[in-house]
Amino acid sequence: MTSDQSEGFDGVPVFEKEHFGYGIVPDGSLFSSKNGKNGQPKVEWVSDGYAQIVEEMRKENGDSVFVIAGRCAKDDHAFRFEMTAYDFAEARKLKGKLTAQFGACSRVGGLTADVIQQISLNVRKFRLIETPRWFDSKPAVPGLDLIPNLKYGVNPWVPVNVGGGDLGEAQEGLRNLLSSWDKRLTAIVFTAILGSPVVARWFPGDRFGAVLRAMTGSGKTEFVKHGVAIYGKGYLDEENLMRWGAGSTSNACMKVASTAGFLPYLVDNYKPLKKEDPAQLILLIQAVLEGSDKARLSSDSELKDSAKFDCTLIITGEDFPEESSTMARCVILDWSPILDSSLLTQAQKLAHNFPAIGKEWLTWLSENQETIEDILKDFETKRQDYYGEIIVSFGGINAGRLSTNLALLDLIWEIALKCPALADVLTRFTEDFEKGIHDLLMKSPREIISSNEAEEFVSTLNELIGTGRAKLVKDGTEIKDQDDVIGWIRADREICIFPKVARKMVDMVASTQQKISSHTLYKQLDERGYIKSEIKDGNIERTLNRKFDGKTNRVLVFKTGIE
């Protein structure tokens, strides 16, 4: 289009024979004027309508997505659709999409990608945000206008939108919500919900999960739905829940978790109905909280990009896998029944206002980062304090992971109390929060220790011996045809256990979620102080030679734990 060429429909140039280029005639058809013989204009029909790029949205990786708008000449049909630049460049795909819009009577003709680009005169430029995240040090979510020229294309399973709602009514509703169950529990879980954007930004490698464990009917899902609704009232809708096993595979859960961005992500109603369910949940937790999915090959035997995770994982259910490292990654709460249904009813009536709190919170995080970082300087001190308490009282199984979780919860609460909109609500719950943290400090290490494979092995051996299903005999006893003998007691009171026989019997009774190797099991038994070990040629040997019935056997020599 030349500088003196006028514009027609939607800014598309009007066709003028004397001006070379493309333009539309009064009925909306597209024509071109080219330099013909002897310098005379050569007029050619192009298409029974037009299309132009009106918006360009760039993804995080730099790829463009176009919004294409146009009009058909024959029936005046107006259209608008999105198309990736990759598909736009493929003539067959572009023509197919245009034909679908032009219909039976309007011909697409020579309306190619190149022609569309030439008549796209006023393209608006945006950045495309497909997952809620930090962008230019500011939260980027629908409804929060802190960053100009953004467009959002979030997964519909992540119904984030912090626009709308009355703050005063939201605060009243939140007070009622937190008071409807045991306040020690609600304060902890809501802190995890609030902290998801904070941890994703400042401690991405230390993200944790929150588990609400209780029988059906306790309202655990109802609380999480309403808590997460500070980020969008769409979270209140039942159809947006990803329920374990109810049409949602672990791969589907993982996919949605990767699109949740820095927000909490709920996996609802976990029940181990199938044999593989515990292992599948463990894999999901490990992938999400470690930050990326496992590597996969494409059909061309090339590595695909792994899914990336920034969310805080929240799980509700009646059970949870007893696997120590997985348990240490999560804050596990035995949820309470509803204590005040009238307060819950009031909270539910006001819940559509909750996004007003999310908007205040995210805005405050954006504007007060120096304050936040000053508070977070205490992380290592708090972590070491919790670590020391756990080591002194319970020993060292996953003490580092657990102490990190507690320290982060502590700091998130402190940060939240600096935000005026939240301080008006949360201050009265501070004592409950502190009690909740103390309860976790007392309960979580015990649960993690009991789920440790070595602890489970020793506990199950004692149960087998106590019920008579396994036997320890005296040194020198004839054990021919006695399949239930797992070891013997020496005269010096050493207890010698046949490792393979004992493990086979234990696995039949208490099959652990993850099958660890014998080497790892023996190492755990050694580190927990149950068995004797010896140094030989610079190596640690944990199965030792002992004679029984005149024959030398390699056995686990227990010095404690077997009763």
Side-chain angles (χ1 to χ4, degrees):
M1 175 180 170
T2 60
S3 59
D4 59 347
Q5 189 174 4
S6 60
E7 295 182 359
F9 304 108
D10 304 323
V12 180
V14 171
F15 178 72
E16 296 178 20
K17 183 177 179 180
E18 296 77 14
H19 295 112
F20 297 151
Y22 295 92
I24 55 173
V25 297
D27 74 347
S29 296
L30 188 66
F31 281 77
S32 71
S33 178
K34 300 179 181 179
N35 190 6
K37 292 182 179 181
N38 303 319
Q40 295 300 309
K42 180 182 179 183
V43 177
E44 291 182 351
W45 170 87
V46 178
S47 177
D48 288 340
Y50 66 89
Q52 58 182 164
I53 301 168
V54 295
E55 292 179 6
E56 178 185 16
M57 301 176 289
R58 284 204 181 272
K59 297 182 178 182
E60 187 176 356
N61 65 2
D63 288 352
S64 290
V65 177
F66 298 148
V67 175
I68 299 171
R71 190 179 298 271
C72 304
K74 300 299 183 182
D75 58 6
D76 204 35
H77 168 66
F79 59 87
R80 183 184 178 97
F81 59 85
E82 288 185 11
M83 195 172 207
T84 66
Y86 186 85
D87 287 345
F88 179 81
E90 288 197 30
R92 181 181 59 83
K93 290 185 177 180
L94 176 60
K95 188 163 186 177
K97 188 67 175 177
L98 289 172
T99 301
Q101 293 295 330
F102 273 52
C105 298
S106 297
R107 294 174 296 161
V108 174
L111 189 58
T112 63
D114 184 65
V115 171
I116 291 173
Q117 285 179 303
Q118 289 190 56
I119 64 173
S120 299
L121 305 178
N122 301 303
V123 181
R124 299 179 63 196
K125 307 276 188 173
F126 297 94
R127 292 297 300 267
L128 181 62
I129 302 296
E130 296 179 286
T131 60
R133 62 189 181 95
W134 290 92
F135 184 83
D136 291 343
S137 299
K138 296 178 181 178
V141 299
L144 190 67
D145 301 322
L146 298 178
I147 309 168
N149 299 323
L150 293 186
K151 287 275 189 176
Y152 295 96
V154 296
N155 190 322
W157 287 95
V158 184
V160 54
N161 191 321
V162 295
D166 179 85
L167 180 59
E169 292 193 348
Q171 290 171 319
E172 180 184 349
L174 181 57
R175 290 187 197 99
N176 293 335
L177 181 72
L178 294 173
S179 301
S180 299
W181 289 266
D182 186 332
K183 290 180 283 189
R184 295 171 298 177
L185 302 176
T186 59
I188 294 294
V189 177
F190 190 66
T191 302
I193 290 170
L194 285 175
S196 191
V198 177
V199 177
R201 166 101 189 257
W202 282 280
F203 294 92
D206 293 315
R207 289 175 303 108
F208 58 90
V211 178
L212 287 68
R213 183 174 57 188
M215 298 299 291
T216 299
S218 62
K220 51 191 181 294
T221 301
E222 194 69 9
F223 177 78
V224 177
K225 277 196 326 180
H226 284 74
V228 178
I230 66 169
Y231 298 117
K233 61 184 180 181
Y235 287 102
L236 297 169
D237 296 336
E238 289 284 324
E239 58 264 29
N240 288 327
L241 291 175
M242 293 288 287
R243 289 192 169 93
W244 183 269
S248 299
T249 64
S250 59
N251 285 337
C253 290
M254 204 172 295
K255 176 64 176 177
V256 177
S258 71
T259 63
F262 65 21
L263 297 180
Y265 171 64
L266 169 64
V267 175
D268 185 43
N269 199 34
Y270 168 74
K271 293 181 182 179
L273 299 178
K274 300 177 182 177
K275 181 180 179 181
E276 64 270 18
D277 279 346
Q280 289 294 319
L281 184 63
I282 289 170
L283 289 174
L284 172 67
I285 293 169
Q286 290 177 344
V288 172
L289 297 183
E290 285 177 4
S292 62
D293 190 9
K294 63 185 178 181
R296 288 186 171 90
L297 290 178
S298 68
S299 58
D300 298 324
S301 297
E302 294 182 357
L303 280 175
K304 294 180 179 179
D305 290 337
S306 297
K308 305 298 181 185
F309 303 97
D310 296 306
C311 62
T312 291
L313 187 61
I314 301 178
I315 299 168
T316 66
E318 297 183 6
D319 196 12
F320 191 74
E322 290 188 356
E323 196 279 317
S324 57
S325 64
T326 304
M327 295 178 75
R329 293 176 182 273
C330 299
V331 175
I332 302 175
L333 301 164
D334 289 311
W335 197 245
S336 80
I338 299 169
L339 301 181
D340 195 324
S341 57
S342 63
L343 284 178
L344 176 57
T345 299
Q346 294 175 42
Q348 290 168 329
K349 290 179 179 178
L350 297 171
H352 64 279
N353 295 291
F354 281 7
I357 290 178
K359 187 169 188 175
E360 290 288 325
W361 171 235
L362 293 175
T363 301
W364 187 89
L365 290 179
S366 176
E367 296 174 350
N368 295 273
Q369 295 182 38
E370 187 174 335
T371 299
I372 296 167
E373 289 171 357
D374 189 56
I375 293 172
L376 294 178
K377 288 177 182 176
D378 291 336
F379 168 71
E380 190 56 34
T381 299
K382 282 187 175 289
R383 193 188 73 81
Q384 289 292 346
D385 288 345
Y386 282 123
Y387 184 83
E389 288 189 61
I390 294 168
I391 290 293
V392 168
S393 301
F394 304 102
I397 294 181
N398 291 304
R401 181 70 259 183
L402 179 56
S403 61
T404 295
N405 297 345
L406 295 175
L408 287 174
L409 285 168
D410 242 355
L411 293 171
I412 294 163
W413 185 265
E414 186 177 346
I415 291 169
L417 291 179
K418 295 290 185 182
C419 172
L422 284 168
D424 287 348
V425 178
L426 298 182
T427 301
R428 68 180 66 185
F429 296 96
T430 295
E431 185 177 347
D432 301 297
F433 172 79
E434 292 171 350
K435 289 179 179 177
I437 289 290
H438 181 266
D439 290 347
L440 285 172
L441 182 61
M442 293 296 102
K443 178 178 74 74
S444 298
R446 289 191 179 96
E447 289 191 343
I448 292 169
I449 288 170
S450 66
S451 67
N452 173 262
E453 289 85 355
E455 294 291 338
E456 184 178 10
F457 181 79
V458 172
S459 173
T460 307
L461 274 184
N462 281 318
E463 187 173 320
L464 288 167
I465 294 168
T467 57
R469 296 172 66 181
K471 292 180 182 177
L472 292 173
V473 298
K474 291 183 179 180
D475 199 358
T477 302
E478 173 68 41
I479 61 170
K480 188 176 181 180
D481 298 327
Q482 295 188 48
D483 294 336
D484 53 359
V485 174
I486 61 169
W488 75 96
I489 303 173
R490 285 163 47 98
D492 57 7
R493 305 307 299 168
E494 276 188 348
I495 296 177
C496 301
I497 300 292
F498 298 115
K500 293 180 180 179
V501 174
R503 189 165 190 192
K504 183 178 179 181
M505 293 190 71
V506 166
D507 285 348
M508 291 174 62
V509 176
S511 180
T512 57
Q513 310 299 339
Q514 294 190 116
K515 294 292 185 182
I516 62 172
S517 67
S518 297
H519 172 82
T520 300
L521 175 62
Y522 304 160
K523 184 172 183 288
Q524 288 184 3
L525 290 168
D526 187 14
E527 291 174 346
R528 298 296 295 161
Y530 286 117
I531 62 173
K532 292 182 177 181
S533 59
E534 296 175 354
I535 304 294
K536 187 174 183 180
D537 298 328
N539 297 315
I540 300 177
E541 292 193 352
R542 297 185 174 93
T543 54
L544 309 180
N545 288 327
R546 293 292 187 270
K547 281 191 174 183
F548 180 75
D549 196 22
K551 298 179 181 178
T552 299
N553 299 270
R554 294 199 68 84
V555 294
L556 296 170
V557 179
F558 277 78
K559 53 187 178 181
T560 187
I562 302 298
E563 300 171 356

